[in-house]
Amino acid sequence: MKKFVISENENGITLEKYLKKVLNNAPLSFIYKTLRKKDVRVNNHWQDGKYVLSKGDEVSIYISEEQYESFNKPLGLKANNQIESWIIYEDKNILLINKPRNILVQADASNDKALDQMVVEYLMFKGEYDPLNNQGFKPGPAHRIDRNTSGIVIFGKNRDTLAYLAILMQNHDKIEKHYLSLVVGEIKEDGVIEAPLRKNFSTKKVVVCPEKDGGKPAKTMYHVVENLPGFTLLELVLKTGRTHQIRVHMSYIRHHVVGDSKYGDFKINNKMEKEYGFKNQFLHANEIIFGTLDKPLQYLSNKKFLADMPEEFNDLIAKLRN
């Protein structure tokens, strides 16, 4: 039997999808047979493949060690240093990467290579990770940002670091994540948005929703960096970590993120593309600030790290100033 604990990054994944992830070399018929025979338990209870997993759930799979080793193999990994120029900071425990836009942090159902795979390949290139002798651990991200959001993503290179980073991300009291965003309309004063959020799984959109109806507390602070004709450049600080939080909160106060294709102002987006050739989502994770940390990251206490904005963002700001 193999046991796994669901991480923050895996929160919300279905049991079937999780099995496909950890048994990535297993035939689908084997996965469905395992579910049908009730050889998979969640917190010691049988669940079907559509069951949605939550952070902290314990998944038990009744297979032999030989089966697991056969069905859990890295697919298509090739050692390389492709991401080297994206690295902001690296030590024996963590990697901070300035993720370009249009790259997933973790792989989904598409065939697109994701950042987590690129990090594994980079660590293979450096000789720091062997996927065939991994003792059940794979370096991974401590959090996610959207495919179309650029900026800082933190990766843990070992089990203890990744577990500690998960605690930091959950509590939000020893780490601050800052973003830069160009939004529609002119905002004159700094402010705070507190509006609970809930994901609608049928529409795949996040909506503002009272807590009594399933909304989860969400808080975003914003600071005016610069007023531009018809727009405002904001610095935003997340006090909670809900899916699409900044985009939904800015839409909620009618100051949509420029280029946001899901929650944005589509007329403005079309105008920006026609007049300025800009058709991307203007949201960038520009800064991470650590508070007083414990082991194994105590040496990073009170440190901050910055990620430069994409050049296309700087170009648009320059055009709007003129």
Side-chain angles (χ1 to χ4, degrees):
M1 180 178 68
K2 300 293 292 185
K3 290 186 177 183
F4 306 88
V5 178
I6 300 302
S7 69
E8 182 177 6
N9 290 322
E10 294 161 338
N11 183 63
I13 192 173
T14 64
L15 181 58
E16 179 183 328
K17 189 173 181 180
Y18 183 74
L19 291 177
K20 291 176 181 177
K21 174 184 175 182
V22 296
L23 304 177
N24 54 29
N25 202 39
L28 288 179
S29 57
F30 177 84
I31 290 176
Y32 296 142
K33 180 181 178 182
T34 302
L35 286 166
R36 189 172 61 252
K37 291 179 65 179
K38 301 185 179 182
D39 285 339
V40 182
R41 301 291 176 94
V42 180
N43 302 324
N44 294 319
H45 297 285
W46 176 81
Q47 304 289 352
D48 65 23
K50 295 180 180 179
Y51 180 80
V52 177
L53 297 166
S54 299
K55 179 180 180 297
D57 282 347
E58 183 181 78
V59 178
S60 303
I61 309 175
Y62 290 82
I63 58 174
S64 67
E65 190 67 35
E66 292 74 19
Q67 285 178 308
Y68 177 70
E69 290 180 0
S70 174
F71 291 152
N72 179 256
K73 291 185 176 180
L75 303 178
L77 295 176
K78 186 177 181 181
N80 66 80
N81 63 342
Q82 176 185 350
I83 67 168
E84 192 166 31
S85 63
W86 304 347
I87 296 174
I88 300 167
Y89 174 82
E90 180 180 8
D91 62 33
K92 65 179 181 179
N93 292 319
I94 70 169
L95 267 171
L96 272 64
I97 296 173
N98 188 358
K99 182 187 82 72
R101 187 187 60 80
N102 203 30
I103 292 178
L104 288 164
V105 172
Q106 289 183 302
D108 63 3
S110 70
N111 293 320
D112 297 339
K113 181 173 283 190
L115 187 60
D116 61 344
Q117 296 166 288
M118 297 179 187
V119 166
V120 167
E121 291 177 336
Y122 169 72
L123 295 176
M124 289 168 58
F125 176 84
K126 293 186 67 185
E128 293 186 18
Y129 179 73
D130 180 358
L132 298 179
N133 185 27
N134 58 27
Q135 298 180 333
F137 173 78
K138 184 174 75 171
H143 60 113
R144 287 177 289 185
I145 58 177
D146 297 337
R147 176 198 284 266
N148 289 322
T149 300
S150 58
I152 300 178
V153 181
I154 307 173
F155 277 78
K157 295 169 69 173
N158 54 64
R159 195 184 305 274
D160 288 345
T161 299
L162 197 54
Y164 181 57
L165 286 169
I167 294 172
L168 294 182
M169 293 297 169
Q170 183 176 7
N171 295 337
H172 297 282
D173 58 345
K174 294 184 179 180
I175 186 169
E176 277 191 4
K177 294 184 286 182
H178 293 231
Y179 291 75
L180 289 172
S181 183
L182 186 69
V183 302
V184 178
E186 294 189 24
I187 301 175
K188 298 299 183 182
E189 297 180 347
D190 299 349
V192 179
I193 306 168
E194 292 191 77
L197 302 176
R198 177 175 61 84
K199 186 170 184 178
N200 185 320
F201 287 96
S202 61
T203 64
K204 296 184 178 180
K205 295 182 73 172
V206 176
V207 296
V208 172
C209 173
E211 290 187 49
K212 64 182 180 64
D213 294 327
K216 295 183 178 181
K219 182 178 181 180
T220 305
M221 302 175 65
Y222 60 87
H223 165 69
V224 177
V225 177
E226 184 177 358
N227 285 124
L228 298 156
F231 301 93
T232 303
L233 181 63
L234 293 178
E235 180 181 36
L236 304 111
V237 181
L238 293 180
K239 293 300 182 181
T240 52
R242 307 302 177 198
T243 301
H244 299 170
Q245 179 173 320
I246 289 175
R247 296 161 62 191
V248 178
H249 271 179
M250 296 316 299
S251 175
Y252 177 65
I253 65 169
R254 311 307 296 171
H255 289 288
H256 308 277
V257 172
V258 168
D260 185 346
S261 61
K262 181 171 282 191
Y263 306 102
D265 185 319
F266 304 119
K267 289 184 179 179
I268 294 293
N269 291 348
N270 289 334
K271 179 181 178 181
M272 297 302 282
E273 182 175 358
K274 289 180 181 178
E275 294 188 9
Y276 299 101
F278 186 87
K279 56 182 179 180
N280 302 321
Q281 179 175 285
F282 200 122
L283 185 58
H284 176 70
N286 71 306
E287 186 175 4
I288 290 285
I289 302 176
F290 291 113
T292 302
L293 305 182
D294 299 320
K295 292 181 179 180
L297 297 178
Q298 73 280 7
Y299 57 90
L300 293 177
S301 292
N302 305 312
K303 302 285 187 183
K304 73 175 181 178
F305 298 91
L306 298 170
D308 292 336
M309 280 200 307
E311 198 58 39
E312 60 182 338
F313 288 11
N314 291 317
D315 289 344
L316 178 61
I317 294 294
K319 290 175 182 178
L320 291 173
R321 285 175 182 150
N322 296 327

